[in-house]
């Protein structure tokens, strides 16, 4: 149970070959020789360039958090059959294909072949794609399309259990979560190599001391041992940080703009339609021509369906000028960064029930300061 998601990833940019590792050209190179391959000094990873003038944008996104977990459910409402698929908290990117598949299974229990799908975030696009693959004619009705959706304001990493439900309500959601998580993970691997919309890289967590278990609402509630590479504690010699506790694992990064663009374009190329059409009440849904409606409106579903157990958990990010040589993710006390193609994103906030989307500059300055200190102290 449980583990914090905000660790980061780090692509090993280069291994420092210690003096023992430098082989004279008169000596034969034995490629099986561990002295040639195994790092004898500290691992060298490139440093971030951190200063306030490198900040190119700041955003605050509202995670659509539901206390009992995402709602994937079929209901009858007036003349419509509604399949809900919303409320993914801090895990919507990660679980999108999995809950999309669960929604598709519910759609298959209906007699309809034409689907009105509400919402065009990562969950809506994944669900629409899966329905198309099963032969459904899908029209997306939405208030906004990327980049003007919450999904564009995410960190963009595999974190399937981040703020996905309240820990005390977690047991009831666990099996559905595991099913969604496993399906999503498999599906994500199919996008590898497609213009780098998804990449694997290293993620570090750097702490002065060993951390205790977390129990704040919505933190990582579940963990699957066998799905993805797990954290490994690093010996002092194997990392460049001035810290007693450093762990590393491989993790997936989603390059958000190109990922959404790729999948939305594919949906359109296969004949899907997108209509910009806000839903303001249940009457608007009733007026849609399709009998079957799949609801992927994220936080927008709260008001329309009067969902009292859903509220936002806001999260601020600050984007720095991209640095192509930096290809890892890292979390340390109170701050993290992730390196994507479109920039280096710093973050660290999670304000429960906050609807405020105004960036707080002092938060950004705090992260820049924490991460600058860490970089200054790096060995090598
Ligand atoms: C700071 C931050 C970091 C995050 N990091 C990660 C991460 O690393 N990994 C991860 O897995 N998840 C992460 N998340 C969570 C993830 O971003 C969300 O769970 C996910 O974006 C939800 O997707 P969605 O498609 O349900 O919602 P949205 O992206 O909000 O899409 C909803 C769609 O519905 C439409 N809509 C809404 N209301 C209406 C209406 N009334 N009428 C018509 N259309 C409507 C919107 O226009 C939009 O198109 C993060 C979130 C934040 C804020």
């Amino acid at each position: 149970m449980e583990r914090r998601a905000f660790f980061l990833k780090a692509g090993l940019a280069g291994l420092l070959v210690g003096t023992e590792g430098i082989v004279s050209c008169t000596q034969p190179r034995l490629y099986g020789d561990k002295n040639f391959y195994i790092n004898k000094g500290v691992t060298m990873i490139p440093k971030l360039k951190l200063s306030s003038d490198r900040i190119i944008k700041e955003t605050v996104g509202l995670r659509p958090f539901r206390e009992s977990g995402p709602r994937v459910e079929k209901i009858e409402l007036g003349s419509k059959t509604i399949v809900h698929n919303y409320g993914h908290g801090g895990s919507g990117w990660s679980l999108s294909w999995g809950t999309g598949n669960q929604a598709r299974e519910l759609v298959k229990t209906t007699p309809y072949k034409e689907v009105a799908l509400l919402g065009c975030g990562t969950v809506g696009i994944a669900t629409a794609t899966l329905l198309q693959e099963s032969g459904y004619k899908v029209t997306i009705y939405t208030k906004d399309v990327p980049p003007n959706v919450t999904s564009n304001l995410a960190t963009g990493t595999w974190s399937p259990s981040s703020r996905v439900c309240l820990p005390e309500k977690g047991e009831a959601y666990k099996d559905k979560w595991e099913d969604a998580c496993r399906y999503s993970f498999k599906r994500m691997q199919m996008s590898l190599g497609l213009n780098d919309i998804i990449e694997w890289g290293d993620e570090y967590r750097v702490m002065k001391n060993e951390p205790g278990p977390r129990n704040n609402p919505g933190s990582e509630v579940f963990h699957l041992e066998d799905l993805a590479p797990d954290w490994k504690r690093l010996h002092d010699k194997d990392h460049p940080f001035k810290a007693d506790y450093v762990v590393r694992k491989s993790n997936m990064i989603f390059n958000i703009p190109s990922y959404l663009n790729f999948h939305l374009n594919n949906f359109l190329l296969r004949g899907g339609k997108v209509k910009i059409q806000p839903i303001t009440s249940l009457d608007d849904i009733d007026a849609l021509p399709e009998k079957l409606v799949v609801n992927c409106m994220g936080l927008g579903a709260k008001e329309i369906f009067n969902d009292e157990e859903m509220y936002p958990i806001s999260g601020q990010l600050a984007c720095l000028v991209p640095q192509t040589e930096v290809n890892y993710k890292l979390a340390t006390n109170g701050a993290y960064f992730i390196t994507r193609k479109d920039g280096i994103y710093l973050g660290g906030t999670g304000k429960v029930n906050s609807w405020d989307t105004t960036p707080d500059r002092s938060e950004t300055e705090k992260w820049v300061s924490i991460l600058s200190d860490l970089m200054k102290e790096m060995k090598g």
Side-chain angles (χ1 to χ4, degrees):
M1 289 270 276
E2 86 77 33
R3 359 190 83 244
R4 211 14 318 227
F6 289 150
F7 321 147
L8 312 214
K9 109 190 225 162
L12 276 191
L15 292 176
L16 172 68
V17 181
T19 44
E20 297 112 306
I22 299 171
V23 182
S24 144
C25 49
T26 56
Q27 288 178 304
R29 282 188 175 184
L30 301 173
Y31 285 93
D33 184 353
K34 66 183 175 139
N35 290 329
F36 185 75
Y37 279 110
I38 302 236
N39 175 35
K40 287 285 190 180
V42 292
T43 301
M44 289 243 294
I45 61 173
K47 292 186 181 188
L48 278 194
K49 292 176 189 162
L50 279 153
S51 56
S52 299
D53 62 339
R54 295 183 68 81
I55 299 164
I56 48 178
K57 66 177 168 178
E58 288 171 291
T59 58
V60 178
L62 304 180
R63 299 174 182 91
F65 180 72
R66 277 189 94 240
E67 293 186 347
S68 62
R71 184 178 185 191
V72 184
E73 185 188 358
K74 186 177 79 167
I75 59 164
E76 301 298 327
L77 196 65
S79 63
K80 304 288 183 194
T81 299
I82 313 257
V83 173
H84 289 300
N85 181 14
Y86 70 87
H88 294 68
S91 302
W93 273 89
S94 312
L95 295 178
S96 56
W97 296 98
T99 65
N101 184 49
Q102 291 169 349
R104 175 169 64 174
E105 291 306 311
L106 295 174
V107 165
K108 285 182 185 170
T109 64
T110 75
Y112 308 115
K113 283 287 159 201
E114 297 190 2
V115 180
L117 190 141
L118 313 180
C120 196
T122 193
V123 173
I125 293 171
T127 308
T129 301
L130 291 170
L131 288 170
Q132 245 184 356
E133 287 175 6
S134 294
Y136 291 89
K137 189 176 166 203
V138 183
T139 302
I140 294 178
Y141 298 88
T142 184
K143 191 169 63 165
D144 277 310
V145 291
N148 302 315
V149 294
T150 298
S151 299
N152 261 79
L153 308 178
T155 314
T157 193
W158 174 254
S159 61
S161 182
S162 172
R163 297 179 166 97
V164 72
C165 61
L166 281 182
E168 58 270 30
K169 297 201 175 173
E171 268 319 298
Y173 182 58
K174 192 163 185 260
D175 290 348
K176 267 184 135 179
W177 172 82
E178 180 169 346
D179 171 76
C181 189
R182 289 188 185 281
Y183 187 91
S184 258
F185 185 85
K186 258 197 239 161
R187 183 73 196 208
M188 294 292 188
Q189 309 318 311
M190 293 183 195
S191 290
L192 292 175
L194 292 173
N195 301 328
D196 297 337
I197 60 174
I198 299 183
E199 294 173 282
W200 278 90
D202 284 345
E203 171 170 347
Y204 289 90
R205 190 180 186 196
V206 178
M207 299 285 165
K208 293 282 174 216
N209 306 301
E210 195 154 342
R214 295 223 179 195
N215 56 7
N216 56 308
S219 68
E220 296 274 299
V221 193
F222 311 117
H223 179 62
L224 288 174
E225 299 283 338
D226 60 333
L227 194 65
D230 215 338
W231 295 102
K232 299 264 185 309
R233 187 158 181 182
L234 298 183
H235 189 275
D236 275 0
K237 279 198 304 184
D238 295 324
H239 68 78
F241 305 106
K242 194 174 168 194
D244 287 342
Y245 183 83
V246 178
V247 286
R248 185 179 62 198
K249 71 173 180 182
S250 297
N251 202 0
M252 279 185 280
I253 295 288
F254 312 128
N255 282 307
I256 287 180
S258 54
Y259 178 113
L260 291 176
N261 198 39
F262 177 89
H263 287 297
L264 185 54
N265 279 343
N266 267 3
F267 169 75
L268 294 168
L269 279 170
R270 292 172 185 154
K273 295 211 167 21
V274 176
K275 292 190 179 168
I276 306 293
Q277 188 169 320
I279 303 294
T280 58
S281 67
L282 291 178
D283 289 342
D284 289 346
I285 295 180
D286 200 38
L288 295 172
E290 295 85 355
K291 290 272 177 222
L292 177 62
V293 177
V294 177
N295 168 24
C296 304
M297 287 192 292
L299 199 57
K302 177 177 174 60
E303 195 188 334
I304 304 296
F305 290 95
N306 198 21
D307 188 334
E308 288 181 357
E309 66 158 296
M310 183 156 71
Y311 45 84
I313 300 184
S314 72
Q316 179 168 326
L317 297 177
C319 178
L320 305 186
V321 176
Q323 255 181 280
T324 46
E325 75 280 14
V326 181
N327 61 348
Y328 57 100
K329 185 175 175 233
L330 182 150
T332 190
N333 306 299
Y336 67 85
F337 71 82
I338 179 171
T339 52
R340 300 200 324 235
K341 289 278 185 274
D342 57 324
I344 293 174
Y345 285 81
L346 315 188
T349 56
K351 289 189 193 156
V352 176
N353 216 347
S354 169
W355 291 87
D356 188 357
T357 54
T358 317
D360 175 354
R361 186 66 178 199
S362 66
E363 285 288 351
T364 300
E365 300 288 352
K366 190 179 77 189
W367 302 329
V368 169
S369 161
I370 292 170
L371 294 168
S372 296
D373 290 347
L374 187 85
M375 296 288 143
K376 272 186 218 139
E377 289 178 351
M378 273 168 73
K379 296 174 251 177

